[in-house]
Amino acid sequence: MLNTLLAVLLLAALCVALGGAVVLPLWKWAVSSPGTYSAAVMAAAALLLVLLLAKACKKHGAAVFFRRFLKCTIVAGGLVAAATAVLHGTRLRALAAVAALCIVYGLVDIVFRRFKRSPASSGKQAA
């Protein structure tokens, strides 16, 4: 019982020490130079995004990846345009943005229909 309690307290102390060793320098950097900290965080996030996109492209193939990426971009762009139009008080433009979103999404789906599944998920083996 005492050994378990001691192990838990030691683990908690180790977590606090490691957390402080990581967080305190980052906090000091963010407070002393917010511009460079923000730029570094955005660069790290962009690098992570590029690596994840490259991994998805490699896993599913370029055509399937491009189709999915294009459709996600269309949906995100249409929703942002509609939300921006609503916030500016132009509801008719928001309706037009949603209609354009549906039309463009449908056209992309028709054009890229043959690239619906990746070779890995369809059961076909690559030579």
Side-chain angles (χ1 to χ4, degrees), residues 34-109:
T36 59
Y37 178 79
S38 296
V41 168
M42 284 189 280
L47 180 64
L48 178 65
L49 181 65
V50 167
L51 290 174
L52 289 174
L53 290 174
K55 183 179 176 184
C57 184
K58 184 178 179 183
K59 180 180 178 183
H60 298 289
V64 173
F65 169 77
F66 179 70
R67 176 183 177 266
R68 289 180 182 171
F69 182 75
L70 186 61
K71 287 172 78 173
C72 288
T73 304
I74 289 168
V75 170
L79 292 177
V80 166
T84 303
V86 167
L87 292 176
H88 284 278
T90 54
R91 291 187 184 114
L92 194 57
R93 284 188 183 170
L95 183 62
V98 170
L101 162 69
C102 293
I103 292 168
V104 172
Y105 186 89
L107 289 173
V108 166
D109 192 47

